Amino acid sequence: MSPTDDGVPPQGPDAAGDPLAPQAAPDDSVLLTARGIRKSFGDNEVLRSIDLEVRRGEVVVLIGPSGSGKTTVLRSLNGLETPDGGTIAFTGGPELDFSAAVPKSGRFALRDRSAMVFQQHNLFPHMTVLQNVVEGPIRVQRVPKAQALAEASALLERVGLAEKRDAYPFELSGGQQQRVGIVRALALKPDLLLFDEPTSALDPELVGEVLSVIKELADEGWTMVVVTHELGFARQAADEVLFMDGGVVVERGAPGDIFTKPTEERTRRFLDRILRPLD
């Protein structure tokens, strides 16, 4: 990470608060609204007018076949991709209209409010676990070093990695690396957590330890958008499930409806192929 020109002030609770507490208690108000998001890579139209609304304390899970555009949605919400059209707005922030040129400061505004947990961990290999966690708060958010270290240590303790604070990423298992990735996102105290296939790069026996951390965060009221193939997790943790295919949202609804009585044929075919053999 590198510091922004805006000098983003520290966010969230101070060092005396619970660093694993969400930014604000869930109040069911709208946190994020995206309308008509479109994105193409060359001739490949990846997103075709995606609409998404996320309420505070809500867990929205995106499912669908590979190549359906799920990751591009996340990267657009975080400013890592620039849509070709549509609007994105966090409540209390500017509405970004991507039908015109959006300045770099607009994409930074999205990153100020959200944090991404990546599929491949993306830890800095030359930094210890603790250094990976405090890099963003200190350099980007200008959090005092003592506060950042105290909060990082508390977060690592909460996910069972306190004894690994001085280890380097290559000394950790895949599950431990992903838990560090989650802690690194939490340390930024975002309004919105974005998870991009957080278990797909893990050995099967390590999947559970990462999903249990994400489920705990959901239970504590963190607002999340999660891309996953772990449909059991989606059933348990999601407030809303969106099934995507071909760059569109084919169907959306409560997990009980999506998984037991989908209305769209494409959704039924996907679930028959993926879910039914597991039942």
Side-chain angles (χ1 to χ4, degrees):
M1 293 184 186
S2 60
T4 72
D5 295 334
D6 301 329
V8 179
Q11 300 176 0
D14 60 22
D18 180 358
L20 209 58
Q23 279 283 74
D27 60 7
D28 200 36
S29 62
V30 174
L31 172 66
L32 173 77
T33 303
R35 293 283 181 261
I37 299 301
R38 296 181 289 101
K39 180 66 179 179
S40 295
F41 297 102
D43 295 331
N44 183 20
E45 190 175 13
V46 178
L47 299 181
R48 311 179 188 200
S49 194
I50 299 294
D51 293 336
L52 179 66
E53 184 176 272
V54 184
R55 295 182 174 275
R56 292 187 184 275
E58 186 177 41
V59 178
V60 177
V61 175
L62 308 184
I63 64 171
S66 297
S68 58
K70 305 182 300 294
T71 292
T72 306
V73 170
L74 287 194
R75 291 176 63 85
S76 297
L77 298 180
N78 190 240
L80 293 173
E81 293 288 356
T82 302
D84 300 326
T87 62
I88 299 175
F90 277 93
T91 297
E95 180 178 78
L96 304 180
D97 184 352
F98 291 96
S99 62
V102 171
K104 186 180 294 186
S105 61
R107 297 197 301 276
F108 284 153
L110 297 179
R111 271 173 241 175
D112 291 345
R113 303 288 296 274
S114 64
M116 179 90 79
V117 178
F118 298 92
Q119 179 178 336
Q120 297 290 342
H121 322 312
N122 285 18
L123 301 179
F124 298 115
H126 62 289
M127 292 183 178
T128 66
V129 165
L130 188 63
Q131 289 170 336
N132 265 280
V133 175
V134 301
E135 174 76 358
I138 291 174
R139 294 192 62 193
V140 177
Q141 296 180 332
R142 304 292 194 263
V143 175
K145 185 175 181 180
Q147 177 182 333
L149 289 170
E151 292 181 352
S153 296
L155 286 168
L156 290 169
E157 178 73 32
R158 287 289 301 272
V159 300
L161 290 175
E163 77 284 358
K164 299 293 186 180
R165 56 179 282 162
D166 296 321
Y168 287 88
F170 75 88
E171 299 176 295
L172 306 179
S173 70
Q176 289 171 333
Q177 289 185 50
Q178 193 60 294
R179 279 186 283 160
V180 174
I182 294 172
V183 167
R184 182 174 62 178
L186 291 171
L188 295 169
K189 303 188 183 76
D191 291 312
L192 177 65
L193 286 168
L194 305 169
F195 292 87
D196 183 18
E197 294 283 8
T199 61
S200 64
L202 301 179
D203 292 333
E205 65 270 20
L206 301 177
V207 168
E209 69 181 65
V210 172
L211 289 181
S212 66
V213 172
I214 301 173
K215 181 66 166 58
E216 178 185 349
L217 296 174
D219 292 342
E220 292 181 356
W222 282 88
T223 309
M224 307 182 198
V225 179
V226 184
V227 170
T228 185
H229 287 296
E230 298 291 338
L231 301 189
F233 167 81
R235 272 176 157 173
Q236 294 177 359
D239 296 293
E240 184 180 37
V241 175
L242 276 63
F243 170 66
M244 292 186 61
D245 193 13
V248 301
V249 176
V250 176
E251 187 167 356
R252 66 181 79 206
D257 294 331
I258 294 294
F259 291 121
T260 62
K261 46 184 179 182
T263 61
E264 298 295 329
E265 178 61 28
R266 275 194 284 178
T267 312
R268 287 195 290 271
R269 288 201 306 267
F270 174 78
L271 293 176
D272 284 342
R273 187 171 66 252
I274 302 297
L275 188 62
R276 302 298 184 233
L278 302 179
D279 289 342

